[in-house]
Amino acid sequence: MTTGRLIQVGEPTKNNDQDVSVEQLLLGFVQCLLAEQGFSAKHATKDEESEDLRRSGWHGEFPA
Amino acid sequence: MSAFAESQSKLKPMSCLVIQLSDTGDTIRDLMALKAAKQLYPGLELHFVVKEESASAVKRVSWINQVHVLPYRRMLAPVLRGEVSECGVLGDFARWIKPLVQSRWDFVVNWSYSEASSYLAALIPAKVKLGYSRRKDLTACCADDWSLYVQTIANENVEQNIHMTDILTTQLLTELQINAGDPVEVDNAPVTSKNFFELELGERDEIDDRLRSSKRWIGIHLGADKHGSSWSADGWTRLASQILSKNDECNIVLLGDRCDVSAAQRFQEYLRELVPGGDETASRIISLVGKTDFDLLASVIGRCSWLISENHTAIQLACVLGTRVLVIVRDTNGNNWFSNGPYGNHHIVVETQQAEPDAVYAAWSYIPFQESSGGFRTLETHFAELNCSHLLETMSVFKSRIRPVADGGGVVYESLLAKPLSLKEWSATVMGQVARLWYCGWVFPVGFEIERKRINSLLLKDLRKLKDKINILLNLCIQAEQTSKSLSLLATGLRSDRIMSVDDRAKVSEFGNKLKELDGSIKEIGESTDPLKAFSMMSQVMMHHLKGKKLSELADDSARAYQRLAAGVRVMKDWLDHTLTLAKPVALKKAPVMELHP
């Protein structure tokens, strides 16, 4: 039924006061879907990622 | 009724978005739970997020208001081709998600229980969320108590006996009742129906007509279950040959996916060798393997009297259509079929190590005898008459039954063999009770559905060993609860969680170390004792889900968590004591004896 364990039992809670951005949630979603396909992400540089992000039309808000 | 509930009933119908990114079998199971909710809350507006491969089933349900299909293959393609990094497809995903984010949902119900779905659920705002989600710091969380249970116990194959359909239904109905008030009064309308789906058969009506015209069709789905197939084509053929040769009124429709086509060909070849009468036998079989889309598969299964299969999706489909199911489950470790077995009345589960076709046929052919004799003819007698009693040693046979609402409702699987109760079954029954106590606030009477005749010396030996461990675990939980309360009391008196006197700091540290030590002991006892594993795992997950910003709030919440654990352990202790007492010899009342004098 499930495609993967959500939380390793005993995984400590992060005490991170900073709220996560929508972009991180979206990225997490995409990475998990890719992992379900058996795909491990290629290592892109920060510049490559920024360029990919710009080209994708994502500017930190849900596009109109 | 809460303020939210009152406003809902006056202003607009409730809207609910269900996220299901798993397979079609799980999607159909969700639909069964949603149908129950829709009957009780007719104003509930239901939207469904589903992957493209499972969309057909949802699109054929008239009471689902909108289906949002996730075209993930197309959207991920540039990354899979290596053209861009993951960031390169965020725009496409954002555009797809946008309408969901901008809608105002009363409920977002994530029934996928997968990692990916937790991110999607976190992105979509709602007044009430159920299932997996993400916290503000990106860590994973369960949005409600039942999801904790699913994550820790049902999904981890820890022994428990509440069916997933019952868990989901209870989870949703509880939240609906809290937030939207009492349901409408309905008669006990069945959730399953031959007309559950509005199918479009088009030009394939002739197959449907042929199935209608025959007396009795038995569906055999060659596809495997999630844990792999037990049978080759040879096994299925031997089962089919017995059905055909011993039951003149029965015909067979072979079902399967495209990957099962070669198995279907081998099936036909073997059958020609096994069953004499060439053309006549062939006329009693239709093979639709690899030829069915969702509509045709649902139509065909709906026309069958029985479906025999290992395939998860086909089984769920048959259940929702009211077709009886015989499911073959291999007796493998870690395959807890209680949670996902066939849902409804009168389905059969054959749990077996060998998966012998003779055994499956004997189990299937027993059912008409059992039902017509009112249970007087036993399965053992039936197997003996078929000269296959020896096969019973390595198999168990169960029949499903929906309990009446007055008895708590939900599906239960009853053994058709007078086999002793195993520790595994006993633990599953007790964990079901613990869940009811934790999340429903009621339990069956102690010992409900445990029969004295099924208790043997092996179980008693296991339970006696368990007894001491349960007492130790209970003591640990009570100590942890008291320590947490002491910590809470101390922390409440502190002006700050960070700045305090050296004495206070030492006391906080002492309580912290004590809790750490107790947690370690709870974990250790759970890992070394199978029936207690659920408690130690639940303890860890509950600690992950503590709520609060201040030390005193966290300590309060941990005290509540340990209190809940202790209550669960007490349930297990009560059931254990009851079972041991039940097995004790009882002195029979001396019968009056009349002495005979010569």
Side-chain angles (χ1 to χ4, degrees):
Chain A
M1 186 224 331
T2 181
T3 49
R5 292 180 63 185
L6 179 68
I7 305 159
Q8 292 293 320
V9 170
E11 176 190 344
T13 306
K14 284 183 195 170
N15 290 314
N16 186 352
D17 290 337
Q18 199 174 356
D19 284 1
V20 67
S21 67
V22 172
E23 184 182 313
Q24 283 172 290
L25 286 169
L26 263 180
L27 191 58
F29 182 45
V30 170
Q31 283 173 337
C32 285
L33 288 174
L34 284 165
E36 286 176 8
Q37 303 296 300
F39 182 85
S40 53
K42 69 170 187 175
H43 293 286
T45 64
K46 283 281 169 203
D47 285 347
E48 285 171 333
E49 281 185 353
S50 302
E51 179 58 18
D52 284 343
L53 201 58
R54 190 189 61 74
R55 276 204 231 154
S56 82
W58 173 252
H59 304 290
E61 291 175 6
F62 285 101
Chain B
M1 190 187 286
S2 68
F4 167 46
E6 278 182 29
S7 67
Q8 289 312 294
S9 60
K10 286 174 189 165
L11 295 175
K12 66 180 181 66
M14 294 165 295
S15 59
C16 175
L17 179 71
V18 179
I19 300 171
Q20 182 49 271
L21 302 183
S22 190
D23 60 23
T24 308
D26 286 353
T27 305
I28 294 168
R29 179 204 61 198
D30 295 354
L31 289 171
M32 210 185 297
L34 288 174
K35 181 73 184 286
K38 184 75 180 174
Q39 283 176 345
L40 293 167
Y41 293 88
L44 189 63
E45 190 182 298
L46 289 163
H47 294 241
F48 214 105
V49 172
V50 69
K51 282 183 173 174
E52 48 213 323
E53 55 266 36
S54 303
S56 307
V58 195
K59 284 180 177 172
R60 295 289 180 257
V61 179
S62 59
W63 41 268
I64 296 289
N65 296 74
Q66 197 174 355
V67 184
H68 306 266
V69 182
L70 174 64
Y72 69 103
R73 287 201 181 100
R74 179 180 62 72
M75 292 201 289
L76 293 176
V79 188
L80 294 169
R81 286 196 299 264
E83 293 167 7
V84 292
S85 67
E86 299 101 317
C87 296
V89 295
L90 290 194
D92 279 348
F93 275 89
R95 276 183 283 277
W96 179 81
I97 292 171
K98 185 188 162 197
L100 300 176
V101 171
Q102 291 183 337
S103 298
R104 288 167 183 252
W105 302 107
D106 295 310
F107 298 88
V108 164
V109 179
N110 178 9
W111 277 344
S112 318
Y113 290 105
S114 70
E115 189 130 14
S117 66
S118 67
Y119 288 99
L120 183 57
L123 278 161
I124 303 170
K127 288 172 183 157
V128 178
K129 286 193 186 181
L130 301 178
Y132 289 174
S133 187
R134 292 270 151 183
R135 291 199 190 93
K136 286 182 174 179
D137 66 357
L138 206 63
T139 50
C141 67
C142 294
D144 64 298
D145 281 348
W146 270 113
S147 300
L148 285 178
Y149 185 77
V150 172
Q151 187 213 338
T152 316
I153 294 172
N155 271 6
E156 290 293 325
N157 279 318
V158 176
E159 305 306 336
Q160 68 91 32
N161 74 347
I162 307 184
H163 197 280
M164 271 308 290
T165 305
D166 290 324
I167 290 178
L168 302 181
T169 309
T170 310
Q171 180 192 29
L172 181 57
L173 289 180
T174 305
E175 286 301 326
L176 282 168
Q177 196 163 9
I178 292 168
N179 294 290
D182 290 333
V184 298
E185 295 277 333
V186 287
D187 297 331
N188 281 330
V191 169
T192 59
S193 153
K194 293 286 177 199
N195 301 316
F196 195 95
F197 300 102
E198 291 185 351
L199 304 172
E200 292 177 8
L201 288 178
E203 293 172 358
R204 284 128 359 137
D205 276 346
E206 59 184 73
I207 296 169
D208 197 51
D209 288 343
R210 191 173 165 196
L211 292 172
R212 272 176 206 254
S213 65
S214 173
K215 288 180 193 166
R216 202 167 177 226
W217 286 91
I218 312 298
I220 289 183
H221 197 292
L222 301 177
D225 76 349
K226 290 175 176 179
H227 302 275
S229 176
S230 300
W231 279 3
S232 60
D234 177 51
W236 288 115
T237 315
R238 284 167 55 201
L239 172 65
S241 73
Q242 294 219 41
I243 293 174
L244 292 173
S245 59
K246 295 177 183 171
N247 302 272
D248 289 341
E249 78 285 9
C250 288
N251 291 347
I252 285 176
V253 56
L254 267 191
L255 299 162
D257 304 320
R258 284 201 187 95
C259 58
D260 301 315
V261 169
S262 57
Q265 285 166 350
R266 286 198 297 280
F267 175 98
Q268 304 267 28
E269 288 162 15
Y270 292 147
L271 196 70
R272 273 193 288 276
E273 293 167 17
L274 277 174
V275 184
D279 290 345
E280 195 198 337
T281 305
S283 70
R284 292 173 65 192
I285 297 177
I286 300 177
S287 176
L288 297 174
V289 177
K291 296 175 191 167
T292 51
D293 56 12
F294 176 80
D295 293 67
L296 186 55
L297 183 66
S299 163
V300 169
I301 289 178
R303 297 274 172 234
C304 289
S305 311
W306 281 89
L307 177 78
I308 304 177
S309 180
E310 295 176 283
N311 181 277
H312 174 64
T313 302
I315 290 162
Q316 300 293 347
L317 192 51
C319 293
V320 87
L321 293 166
T323 297
R324 292 184 78 172
V325 165
L326 185 148
V327 55
I328 303 158
V329 180
R330 285 180 306 155
D331 184 16
T332 50
N333 287 330
N335 179 12
N336 182 11
W337 58 264
F338 285 108
S339 306
N340 278 296
Y343 194 88
N345 278 312
H346 312 307
H347 300 306
I348 304 298
V349 178
V350 176
E351 190 186 44
T352 168
Q353 291 166 8
Q354 308 289 334
E356 275 290 328
D358 288 352
V360 175
Y361 176 75
W364 175 77
S365 61
Y366 168 67
I367 301 308
F369 289 112
Q370 190 238 5
E371 288 169 359
S372 62
S373 74
F376 285 113
R377 182 184 164 114
T378 65
L379 188 63
E380 287 88 340
T381 311
H382 186 72
F383 269 62
E385 283 178 12
L386 294 178
N387 295 321
C388 53
S389 295
H390 61 286
L391 297 172
L392 286 174
E393 288 167 18
T394 54
M395 66 187 287
S396 298
V397 183
F398 298 86
K399 190 173 180 183
S400 67
R401 176 174 68 85
I402 302 282
R403 293 188 196 94
V405 176
D407 288 347
V411 74
V412 60
Y413 296 98
E414 294 170 325
S415 176
L416 295 182
L417 286 168
K419 283 198 170 181
L421 192 68
S422 65
L423 183 63
K424 183 178 149 181
E425 277 180 84
W426 185 89
S427 306
T429 306
V430 177
M431 267 328 287
Q433 296 308 304
V434 173
R436 288 182 185 96
L437 174 82
W438 282 345
Y439 310 123
C440 301
W442 63 272
V443 285
F444 290 128
V446 177
F448 183 74
E449 291 174 355
I450 289 196
E451 295 174 278
R452 187 179 189 282
K453 66 181 179 188
R454 292 194 66 205
I455 301 170
N456 73 348
S457 57
L458 191 65
L459 178 68
L460 291 175
K461 197 177 156 192
D462 287 338
L463 291 182
R464 284 190 193 111
K465 269 195 233 166
L466 183 61
K467 189 172 182 175
D468 288 344
K469 299 273 180 75
I470 288 184
N471 287 329
I472 295 169
L473 180 60
L474 182 58
N475 192 26
L476 288 169
C477 293
I478 292 169
Q479 279 188 58
E481 183 194 340
Q482 286 166 349
T483 310
S484 302
K485 281 180 177 168
S486 303
L487 179 60
S488 167
L489 198 65
L490 175 68
T492 308
L494 296 174
R495 286 186 184 175
S496 159
D497 284 351
R498 294 172 193 269
I499 303 167
M500 62 189 80
S501 70
V502 175
D503 280 355
D504 285 339
R505 191 177 148 192
K507 281 180 194 163
V508 168
S509 176
E510 186 189 330
F511 287 135
N513 286 335
K514 176 81 177 162
L515 281 175
K516 201 174 167 186
E517 188 187 316
L518 289 166
D519 276 341
S521 301
I522 291 172
K523 189 178 173 189
E524 201 176 307
I525 202 167
E527 283 174 357
S528 63
T529 317
D530 267 351
L532 303 182
K533 192 177 162 195
F535 294 108
S536 73
M537 289 171 68
M538 185 55 88
S539 163
Q540 292 170 66
V541 172
M542 280 164 113
M543 292 306 126
H544 176 93
H545 282 84
L546 291 182
K547 285 177 191 151
K549 288 191 173 174
K550 292 181 181 172
L551 181 59
S552 58
E553 292 167 349
L554 289 166
D556 271 341
D557 211 30
S558 65
R560 276 190 291 273
Y562 289 120
Q563 191 178 34
R564 179 175 272 191
L565 280 176
V569 179
R570 274 193 199 96
V571 168
M572 185 170 270
K573 186 177 183 302
D574 290 346
W575 277 66
L576 185 141
D577 290 341
H578 173 85
T579 313
L580 291 176
T581 310
L582 202 62
K584 279 186 183 165
V586 180
L588 292 173
K589 198 177 170 185
K590 202 171 177 182
V593 178
M594 187 187 289
E595 287 186 18
L596 296 174
H597 298 284

